[in-house]
């Protein structure tokens, strides 16, 4: 989990430079991309309890990790801001699925450790 947090932080650190230098997005466009990502987070947090009830704890965690991997891989391959926005929507939805799943399905010690790392 600590490695995932490290990699996510490293990705976010260079994300704005990628959007500006590679994709050529303006400040306004990058703000729109982040707004789409925020909508993904809201969507993920609202759908997470239903997903847990439907497919269970472990599949939700695997789905979360898959969303991160596919989203960031797609961003790395794209030269389009819309694709980046949609990928971040999925990444953030997966992140919220991960967080809600841990909160509801795993003991508090693991949750506390994940936030502490």
């Amino acid at each position: 989990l600590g490695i995932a947090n490290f990699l996510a932080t490293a990705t976010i650190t260079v994300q704005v430079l990628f959007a500006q230098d590679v994709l050529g997005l303006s400040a306004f466009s990058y703000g729109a991309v982040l707004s789409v990502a925020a909508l993904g987070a809201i969507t993920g947090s609202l759908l997470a309890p239903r997903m847990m009830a439907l497919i269970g704890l472990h599949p939700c965690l695997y789905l979360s990790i898959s969303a991160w991997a596919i989203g960031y891989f797609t961003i790395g391959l794209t030269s389009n801001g819309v694709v980046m926005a949609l990928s971040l929507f999925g990444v953030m939805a997966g992140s919220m699925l991960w967080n809600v799943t841990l909160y509801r399905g795993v003991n508090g010690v693991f949750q506390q450790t994940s936030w502490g790392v």
Side-chain angles (χ1 to χ4, degrees):
L1 188 58
I3 293 170
N5 285 338
F6 173 77
L7 292 173
T9 302
T11 303
I12 292 167
T13 302
V14 297
Q15 181 176 296
V16 66
L17 297 174
F18 177 78
Q20 178 183 349
D21 296 341
V22 176
L23 301 181
L25 296 180
S26 67
F28 179 81
S29 296
Y30 185 64
V33 166
L34 293 181
S35 296
V36 171
L39 290 174
I42 293 167
T43 303
S45 66
L46 292 174
L47 292 179
R50 292 183 194 137
M51 292 295 292
M52 270 191 64
L54 186 65
I55 64 174
L57 174 81
H58 289 99
C60 281
L61 295 175
Y62 294 134
L63 183 62
S64 297
I65 294 169
S66 299
W68 297 339
I70 292 168
Y72 284 130
F73 183 75
T74 304
I75 290 169
L77 295 178
T78 192
S79 59
N80 186 313
V82 174
V83 174
M84 181 183 185
L86 294 175
S87 296
L88 284 176
F89 182 94
V91 167
M92 293 307 295
S95 295
M96 291 302 105
L97 177 60
W98 175 272
N99 286 337
V100 172
T101 301
L102 285 181
Y103 180 73
R104 288 182 176 227
V106 180
N107 65 33
V109 173
F110 186 75
Q111 175 96 17
Q112 194 171 22
T113 302
S114 69
W115 282 102
V117 171

